[in-house]
């Protein structure tokens, strides 16, 4: 005899297998696609801002390595379409929450905006650009600083930088180098690690930028890390740019490099202390005016789960005109864990339906034919 599908009693009501399965699927969807984002945002520390007077306080939201997925390195239809849609939705949803939390005065994009920006065709690049604007549309009216990464214009391994790649980035986003002035902060955009660029042109470029630096707070924004490099190559540039703080990305991790005497000319070593920030739940404080020989570099983690990192987030900094800086990471939910939850729910449901519905139905048909 065919086995009858089980009945469930919920809140005194009889529920069929289909009804219970539908409830479980809907609850899983709501949890994974809506509630978990809200719950995670409630865990972010309170924004340490007493006043939103732009002449005294500036809130900065950092976005590192979003790397919008392209067409060339993704699977074909339909898998590629689904994976691109999912990462775009993840980025858009999490950035909207981070933006609403910080209400930033400035949004800084620290490079690698697109995964295939360096090798994209003209048509592909155009589609990536409009997808980027759509994903980060919450920042549409904000003041923004754009940094180019190696995935945007080349510069890593065999992916060489070309003039046309850099021109294309500048046409769609912003100049690769320059000084963006917002309030009491100068954002210095200079790629100190430019691939194949001799030292003298880099020094001349630093001299040109030095003439434009006038604000009391000076921040160097770079895609690649700075302080883990050799001091003899970088100190002559940093001496001209005079940054008090560096923000970078590229490694996809959350790290801070602290150096108490990095701006001392007669010492060509970096006495750098590296500290992982994956444990950090609140804000750390740095005073940018007490020790003029010191230098701090904050590495912002990737915000994309496609980079394979367990810990992802957006960086947020609150900088006072007095020189006090507070920084935290707005940690994001782990999307791969959420996707595994789908498997943990759907596979048992599939087994139950096969065992109690489809298998008895097939057996019933088989016995009817036999008789």
């Amino acid at each position: 005899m065919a086995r009858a599908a089980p009945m469930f009693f919920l809140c005194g009501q009889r529920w069929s297998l289909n009804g219970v399965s539908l409830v479980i699927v809907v609850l899983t969807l709501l949890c994974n696609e809506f509630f978990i984002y809200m719950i995670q945002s409630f865990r972010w520390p309170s924004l340490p801002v007493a006043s939103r007077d732009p002449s005294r306080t500036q809130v900065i939201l950092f976005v590192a390595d979003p790397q919008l997925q392209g067409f060339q390195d993704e699977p074909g239809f339909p898998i590629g379409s689904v994976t691109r849609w999912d990462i775009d939705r993840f980025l858009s949803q999490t950035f909207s929450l981070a933006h609403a939390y910080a209400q930033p005065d400035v949004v800084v994009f620290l490079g690698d905006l697109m995964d295939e920006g360096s090798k994209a065709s003209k048509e592909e690049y155009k589609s990536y650009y409009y997808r980027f604007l759509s994903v980060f549309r919450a920042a549409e009216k904000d003041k923004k600083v754009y940094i180019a990464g190696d995935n945007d214009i080349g510069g890593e391994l065999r992916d060489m930088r070309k003039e046309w790649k850099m021109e294309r980035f500048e046409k769609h986003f912003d100049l690769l180098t320059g000084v963006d002035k917002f309030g009491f902060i100068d954002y210095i955009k200079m790629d100190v690690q430019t691939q194949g660029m001799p030292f003298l042109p880099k020094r001349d470029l630093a001299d040109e930028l030095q003439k434009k630096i006038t604000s009391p707070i000076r921040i160097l924004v770079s895609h690649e890390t700075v302080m883990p490099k050799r001091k003899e190559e970088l100190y002559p540039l940093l001496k001209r740019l005079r940054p008090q703080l560096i923000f970078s990305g590229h490694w996809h991790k959350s790290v801070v490099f602290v150096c108490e005497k990095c701006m001392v000319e007669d010492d060509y070593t970096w006495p750098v202390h590296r500290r992982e920030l994956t444990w950090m739940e609140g804000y750390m404080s740095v005073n940018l005016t007490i020790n003029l020989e010191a230098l701090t570099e904050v590495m912002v983690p990737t915000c994309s789960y496609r980079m394979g990192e367990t810990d992802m987030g957006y960086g947020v900094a609150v900088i006072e005109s007095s020189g006090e800086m507070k920084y935290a990471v707005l940690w994001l939910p782990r999307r791969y864990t959420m996707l595994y939850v789908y498997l943990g729910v759907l596979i048992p449901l599939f087994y139950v339906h096969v065992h109690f519905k489809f298998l008895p139905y097939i057996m019933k048909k088989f016995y009817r034919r036999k008789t």
Side-chain angles (χ1 to χ4, degrees), residues 6 8 17 21 346-358 360:
F8 300 88
L17 177 59
S21 299
L346 295 178
I347 291 177
L349 284 180
F350 178 77
Y351 171 80
V352 170
H353 275 264
V354 168
H355 188 68
F356 287 104
K357 295 191 67 174
F358 297 111

Side-chain angles (χ1 to χ4, degrees), residues 109 144-149 153 166-180 187-191 205 209 212 221:
F109 293 92
K144 293 180 280 291
V145 178
Y146 290 108
I147 303 299
I153 59 174
M166 294 185 283
E167 290 177 353
R168 183 164 69 175
F169 182 91
E170 292 185 333
K171 177 182 177 181
H172 288 83
F173 293 100
D174 200 359
L175 297 177
L176 295 177
T177 60
V179 179
D180 291 348
Y187 295 87
I188 307 167
K189 301 190 301 181
M190 179 179 176
D191 185 0
L205 178 58
L209 294 177
K212 303 176 182 179
V221 283

Side-chain angles (χ1 to χ4, degrees), residues 55-291:
S55 65
R56 298 174 53 189
T57 305
Q58 192 167 125
V59 179
I60 313 158
L61 184 60
F62 293 93
V63 182
D65 301 87
Q67 293 193 209
L68 262 66
Q69 302 300 302
F71 298 103
Q72 299 181 25
D73 296 336
E74 289 289 287
F77 181 84
I79 296 177
S81 300
V82 173
T83 56
R84 281 188 295 272
W85 171 82
D86 192 67
I87 184 57
D88 285 5
R89 185 176 180 277
F90 178 86
L91 291 171
S92 178
Q93 203 160 356
T94 55
F95 179 75
S96 295
L97 287 171
H99 189 273
Y101 161 88
Q103 300 179 36
D105 299 296
V106 180
V107 179
V108 178
F109 293 92
L110 289 168
D112 276 2
L113 311 183
M114 309 170 182
D115 187 50
E116 301 174 8
S118 175
K119 60 183 180 180
S121 67
K122 182 178 179 180
E123 292 74 20
E124 289 173 339
Y125 196 95
K126 185 177 180 179
S127 71
Y128 299 161
Y129 172 71
Y130 285 114
R131 276 177 55 204
F132 181 89
L133 295 182
S134 177
V135 167
F136 297 104
R137 63 181 175 273
E140 181 180 5
K141 298 181 180 180
D142 294 334
K143 300 171 184 176
K144 293 180 280 291
V145 178
Y146 290 108
I147 303 299
D150 51 279
N151 284 59
D152 300 312
I153 59 174
E156 190 172 53
L157 302 178
R158 296 183 179 181
D159 184 15
M160 303 296 292
R161 293 187 179 179
K162 303 290 184 181
E163 194 68 29
W164 63 269
K165 297 180 182 179
M166 294 185 283
E167 290 177 353
R168 183 164 69 175
F169 182 91
E170 292 185 333
K171 177 182 177 181
H172 288 83
F173 293 100
D174 200 359
L175 297 177
L176 295 177
T177 60
V179 179
D180 291 348
K181 296 179 177 292
F182 298 122
F184 53 87
I185 299 179
D186 280 348
Y187 295 87
I188 307 167
K189 301 190 301 181
M190 179 179 176
D191 185 0
V192 295
Q193 304 296 328
T194 301
Q195 183 190 64
M197 187 176 182
F199 172 76
L200 290 180
K202 286 194 284 189
R203 189 185 65 182
D204 294 341
L205 178 58
D207 286 334
E208 289 298 316
L209 294 177
Q210 184 182 25
K211 300 173 184 178
K212 303 176 182 179
I213 300 172
T214 58
S215 298
I217 304 296
R218 304 171 298 277
I219 299 177
L220 175 64
V221 283
S222 169
H223 174 65
E224 292 193 24
T225 53
V226 176
M227 292 174 66
K229 309 297 182 182
R230 296 170 55 187
K231 183 176 181 179
E232 56 265 31
E233 298 176 355
L234 298 177
Y235 177 77
L237 307 177
L238 297 178
K239 181 176 69 173
R240 289 164 169 79
L241 301 175
R242 298 178 294 119
Q244 298 151 303
L245 187 63
I246 301 172
F247 280 95
S248 61
H250 189 53
W251 285 9
H252 304 163
K253 299 180 181 297
S254 183
V255 180
V256 62
F257 300 95
V258 179
C259 182
E260 296 295 331
K261 294 184 178 181
C262 272
M263 300 306 290
V264 178
E265 186 170 4
D266 59 354
D267 184 1
Y268 276 88
T269 60
W270 293 110
V272 176
H273 301 281
R274 169 176 171 171
R275 184 157 53 102
E276 303 288 338
L277 297 182
T278 51
W279 55 268
M280 188 174 69
E281 296 182 356
Y283 280 81
M284 72 174 192
S285 297
V286 178
N287 193 299
L288 306 176
T289 58
I290 292 180
N291 184 0

